Amino acid sequence: MGSSSTERPRDADVIVIGGGPAGASIASLLAMEGRSVLVLERDIHPRDHVGESLTPSTNMVFKRIGFLEKMEDAGFVHKPGACWTAPRAPVGKFISIRLGEFPPPGAFQLYTYNVERDAFDALLLRHAHDLGAKVLQGVNVHRVLFEGDRAVGVRAKVADGWERDLYAPFVVDASGRRCMVANQLGLRRKDPEFNQYGIYSWFRGVEPNPPGYEGFLFLHFLGLERAWGWQIPLRDGVWSIGVVTDKSDFTKSGRSHEEFFDSLVERNRTFRHVMKGAERIRPWWIEGDYTYEVERLAGPGWVIVGDAARFVDPIFSTGVDIATYSALYAFEAIDATLKGADEGAELAAYERRVTGGVEAWYQLISLFYRLQNLFTIYAIRPRFREQVVRILQGNLYIPESLERAREIIDRMERSYERVMADPSNLLRPGALDPARLAALR
Ligand SMILES: Cc1cc2nc3c(=O)[nH]c(=O)nc-3n(C[C@H](O)[C@H](O)[C@H](O)COP(=O)(O)OP(=O)(O)OC[C@H]3O[C@@H](n4cnc5c(N)ncnc54)[C@H](O)[C@@H]3O)c2cc1C
C-alpha cells in the first residue's frame, strides 16, 4: 500500500458506500472480523427498493453473518420454489420447480424468502450496525478520493450539512446501480444486447397460488420477445407484480405505463386470470436503463460489489445473490490483504470469481430470451432437471456450480442452434432468430 497512508487520518479500516444488501453484508462480515467499518448510506432506511424474491444460496451468507434468525422472526414469506406459465396454456397449468428437490450440500432449510425490500434492507443494515459497523444514513458520497491509482477515501456530504473527506485503506463501492466508482473512472459499459425496462407495483386481491404452491414465485411468459411478468407473494395478502420488456416495445406502444402493463398481463391467460380482481395499492414503480457491465471490479484500495459491479436482467432473481456473494468474496480479499497477503493477487482472484459466476448468469439469461421454451424442456426432462434446479438455487461462483452451469449453457446453445437450423422444428416459432436479434442490438 502507498507510503502516505500512515500520514493520513484513518476514519476506518474500510469505508463502504451504500447500505443495500451488498454494503450491509460486507459491513457485517468485516465487523465480525473485528475490523472498523464505516457505512455511508445516502437514503434513510427503510427505503423502497425493487427485488423481492431471493435465491436459496443467499441463506448461506445470511447464516454466516447470523442474520437468518432475524429473517425468520420478521416472518418473511417462505419461498420453496418457482413456477412458470406459457401465454396460451390453460389457466392453472404451469411448470414448477421445488428448490429443495436436490438439496444443495450443507443445506439446512429447503426454502428461501420473498421480502419487502424496505423492511429487509433496513433489518440487514441494522444487523451490520448491531455487529459493530458504524452506519451513517443520509450521507451522500460525492466521489472516491484517489492518490495516484490508489483509493484512499471518499468525499461525503450530508444534505445541507457538513462535507468531509474520510479516509480508509479500503473503499468498497456498494452504491448499487448508481455505480459510483465505475462512473467516476469511466468503467461502466451499457449492455449492447439488452435494453430492458420494468414496470411494477404492489397489489391486493390477486388470486392466491394453488394449494401446495403457497410462497412460490410465478413467472409468466408473455409471447413477446424479451418480455415476462412476475408475481411474488409478500406478507399480509400483498403481492408484488411486475412486467419486464424491451424498452422499445413500451416506447412504440404509445401507451401510459398502466395501459402498457395491462396489455402485457392480458397476453397470458393465467396472468390475466389471477389479476382479475387485483387492486393496486402503491404508485407505479418504473425501472429502466439497466443491464450494464463494468470493465474492472477492483484496484489498489478499492473493490466494487453488488449492482455497482454489474447488473444482469432479474429473470432468475439473482440480484441479491450476486450482492451477497460478491460481498463475501470481497470481504475475503480485503481481510487477507489487511493481514498482509498480496493485494493484487487477492483482488484479481476476487474479480475472477465474481465475473465467472455473473457471466454464466448472463449467458443463461441471453439463452432464455432467445428461446424461452428451452428452459421448460430442460426442466421437465429428468436427465437435466437436477442441473436446472441447481442453477435456480443460485451461487454460480464456486467451481463445481460454475462448471455445471457452463455444461448446461453449452448444451442449450447447441439445442438453440439445432432449432434455428431446422425451419420445421416445433420450437422455431418461439425462437428469436439471429437476424431479429441483430436488429434489436
Ligand atoms: C425490475 C427488477 C426486478 C428485480 N427483481 C429482483 C428479484 O426478484 N430478486 C433479486 O434478488 N434481485 C432483483 N433485482 C435486483 C436487485 O434490486 C439488486 O440486485 C439488489 O438490490 C442489489 O443490491 P446492492 O446492495 O448491490 O444495491 P442496492 O440495493 O441498490 O443498494 C445500494 C445502496 O447504495 C446507496 N447509494 C447509492 N449511491 C450512493 C452514494 N453516492 N452515497 C451513499 N449511498 C449511496 C443507495 O441509496 C442504496 O441504498 C431486480 C431489479 C430490477 C431492476
Side-chain angles (χ1 to χ4, degrees):
M1 283 189 248
S3 57
S4 57
S5 61
T6 46
E7 294 143 27
R8 239 175 273 118
R10 182 177 173 135
D11 296 287
D13 293 332
V14 182
I15 291 175
V16 179
I17 309 168
S25 298
I26 192 166
S28 298
L29 289 155
L30 287 161
M32 283 171 83
E33 201 54 36
R35 300 275 171 213
S36 70
V37 48
L38 175 60
V39 182
L40 303 173
E41 165 57 50
R42 183 181 56 185
D43 287 340
I44 310 280
H45 285 237
R47 52 97 179 92
D48 288 338
H49 207 292
V50 68
E52 295 138 326
S53 174
L54 305 185
T55 59
S57 56
T58 53
N59 290 342
M60 314 277 182
V61 180
F62 295 143
K63 188 171 169 74
R64 171 147 175 193
I65 61 173
F67 182 61
L68 215 47
E69 229 169 68
K70 291 185 183 174
M71 291 186 75
E72 280 296 313
D73 290 348
F76 290 121
V77 168
H78 290 179
K79 172 189 163 190
C83 303
W84 59 92
T85 67
R88 281 173 294 280
V91 171
K93 195 164 165 28
F94 53 86
I95 306 289
S96 66
I97 283 222
R98 232 165 244 282
L99 295 164
E101 218 172 298
F102 300 95
F108 38 84
Q109 62 186 50
L110 299 182
Y111 57 85
T112 175
Y113 304 88
N114 299 320
V115 296
E116 298 83 358
R117 285 289 302 273
D118 53 349
F120 169 77
D121 286 20
L123 203 62
L124 188 54
L125 189 56
R126 153 73 57 174
H127 184 68
H129 162 83
D130 292 346
L131 290 170
K134 190 187 242 182
V135 178
L136 298 183
Q137 299 192 61
V139 178
N140 194 5
V141 172
H142 276 217
R143 59 193 205 88
V144 176
L145 304 172
F146 283 88
E147 272 180 21
D149 65 351
R150 169 161 289 280
V152 294
V154 299
R155 178 154 301 160
K157 191 172 188 318
V158 178
D160 300 327
W162 54 257
E163 180 175 277
R164 269 187 65 186
D165 290 348
L166 300 162
Y167 295 98
F170 265 102
V171 174
V172 173
D173 179 6
S175 63
R177 283 180 282 145
R178 169 73 182 74
C179 294
M180 187 81 217
V181 168
N183 280 327
Q184 189 176 327
L185 300 184
L187 301 173
R188 187 179 185 274
R189 303 274 170 268
K190 194 168 165 15
D191 188 298
E193 193 168 331
F194 294 108
N195 187 16
Q196 298 298 88
Y197 187 69
I199 305 174
Y200 89 109
S201 190
W202 282 4
F203 291 80
R204 280 190 191 281
V206 173
E207 173 92 5
N209 289 355
Y213 295 93
E214 294 85 359
F216 275 61
L217 157 84
F218 266 77
L219 294 180
H220 300 294
F221 296 165
L222 305 174
L224 178 70
E225 284 160 10
R226 313 219 159 188
W228 53 279
W230 79 72
Q231 178 192 340
I232 301 173
L234 300 171
R235 293 175 294 184
D236 306 322
V238 172
W239 295 76
S240 168
I241 310 282
V243 292
V244 168
T245 170
D246 191 276
K247 188 167 185 187
S248 62
D249 284 323
F250 169 65
T251 319
K252 274 186 298 191
S253 77
R255 292 173 154 153
S256 68
H257 290 120
E258 177 136 23
E259 290 165 346
F260 187 65
F261 175 89
D262 289 345
S263 72
L264 292 187
V265 169
E266 281 296 309
R267 296 178 71 97
N268 177 301
R269 287 184 186 166
T270 304
F271 207 3
R272 185 193 319 154
H273 173 78
V274 299
M275 290 297 287
K276 217 173 46 242
E279 178 204 353
R280 186 163 55 82
I281 57 169
R282 298 208 329 178
W284 291 108
W285 188 288
I286 312 299
E287 300 281 349
D289 188 28
Y290 57 78
T291 69
Y292 49 80
E293 62 181 319
V294 168
E295 257 169 44
R296 274 177 76 195
L297 304 191
W302 58 273
V303 185
I304 310 180
V305 293
D307 276 9
R310 181 150 186 194
F311 189 79
V312 295
D313 188 274
I315 177 80
F316 297 125
S317 303
T318 47
V320 175
D321 190 276
I322 296 169
T324 49
Y325 277 91
S326 58
L328 174 62
Y329 300 140
F331 155 72
E332 287 174 0
I334 292 172
D335 188 50
T337 304
L338 291 173
K339 284 176 176 151
D342 179 69
E343 183 188 42
E346 290 296 327
L347 295 181
Y350 163 75
E351 182 149 359
R352 262 197 315 277
R353 233 166 161 182
V354 173
T355 308
V358 181
E359 190 53 35
W361 285 124
Y362 182 84
Q363 287 169 5
L364 285 160
I365 291 159
S366 162
L367 268 163
F368 166 80
Y369 277 115
R370 275 180 279 154
L371 187 48
Q372 297 184 344
N373 287 339
L374 260 190
F375 276 83
T376 303
I377 287 169
Y378 274 73
I380 58 180
R381 276 197 197 150
R383 192 151 72 101
F384 300 123
R385 188 162 171 96
E386 179 177 350
Q387 277 168 300
V388 173
V389 173
R390 292 211 181 280
I391 284 170
L392 297 179
Q393 285 169 345
N395 186 2
L396 300 188
Y397 326 97
I398 49 176
E400 309 85 89
S401 33
L402 184 56
E403 210 172 293
R404 197 171 28 236
R406 284 187 175 146
E407 215 179 284
I408 202 154
I409 288 167
D410 285 350
R411 249 179 220 287
M412 285 183 174
E413 284 287 359
R414 288 199 297 275
S415 300
Y416 173 73
E417 275 158 28
R418 271 198 304 277
V419 170
M420 296 319 295
D422 174 8
S424 63
N425 191 299
L426 289 176
L427 292 179
R428 190 65 192 270
L432 186 55
D433 72 54
R436 170 89 180 109
L437 196 62
L440 277 171
R441 278 177 188 159

